[in-house]
Amino acid sequence: MLVRVAEEEYQVKLIDFGIAKVEGADHQISTCGMVVGTVSYMSPEQIAGNAVTPASDVYTLGVVAYEMLTGRRPFTVVESAKPIQLLRLHEQQMQEAFSPPQAIVAEIPAAASELVRRALSYRPEHRPESAKWFSEELERLLTGGR
């Protein structure tokens, strides 16, 4: 979702409606230790139940960018799987690697493909430093610096 922050400036807001609840519904909002979200877009640390950080947002934005560039998600995830199954699957897929965007769509610049790959790093410290920097750099790389 884009939010206007100035006349010609927008900010990307990541919204996960997978955690939305119907107001007044007769069920719990959350449970301690429960993993909540759309698993295909969740970072490994979020699936593991660890603290969500700005690096987690970069990961999610990386999944969205990958999907927008290639027409598919980087990893195949069964949405109904339990968190521990998801984490094991995620670790296995990360170790086996995934197709870089450029391998799927040849027109994607190599540097942009590499940036998206970095955003999807299993280790948070290997991801770009912020979602803002990632999105601005990806735009620059995809538009040729225009």
Side-chain angles (χ1 to χ4, degrees):
M1 178 173 173
L2 292 176
V3 176
R4 183 179 292 194
V5 294
E7 182 66 31
E8 294 285 324
E9 186 177 345
Y10 293 86
Q11 185 176 54
V12 173
K13 295 284 185 174
L14 297 178
I15 298 175
D16 185 348
F17 290 105
I19 63 171
K21 302 289 181 192
V22 176
E23 192 171 320
D26 189 24
H27 53 35
Q28 289 183 303
I29 297 295
S30 63
T31 303
C32 185
M34 184 173 142
V35 177
V36 181
T38 303
V39 295
S40 295
Y41 299 91
M42 292 171 66
S43 66
E45 60 272 17
Q46 187 176 2
I47 291 171
N50 297 330
V52 176
T53 67
S56 306
D57 291 339
V58 171
Y59 180 91
T60 299
L61 190 54
V63 174
V64 171
Y66 188 100
E67 190 170 10
M68 290 176 70
L69 290 168
T70 67
R72 64 185 198 200
R73 294 180 187 152
F75 307 106
T76 303
V77 176
V78 177
E79 296 290 333
S80 63
K82 302 220 181 307
I84 191 66
Q85 294 169 316
L86 292 171
L87 192 57
R88 286 184 184 138
L89 174 66
H90 211 297
E91 286 175 318
Q92 179 184 5
Q93 288 178 326
M94 292 302 278
Q95 289 170 358
E96 293 173 3
F98 55 92
S99 297
Q102 189 182 45
I104 299 165
V105 179
E107 295 80 19
I108 297 171
S113 184
E114 174 58 20
L115 181 63
V116 172
R117 189 202 60 76
R118 278 187 43 223
L120 294 171
S121 175
Y122 187 79
R123 299 181 59 133
E125 63 271 16
H126 292 167
R127 297 179 199 145
E129 56 270 14
S130 74
K132 179 177 171 59
W133 183 89
F134 171 75
S135 61
E136 289 173 351
E137 183 66 5
L138 185 59
E139 178 183 15
R140 186 186 71 75
L141 293 170
L142 290 172
T143 62
R146 291 179 264 155

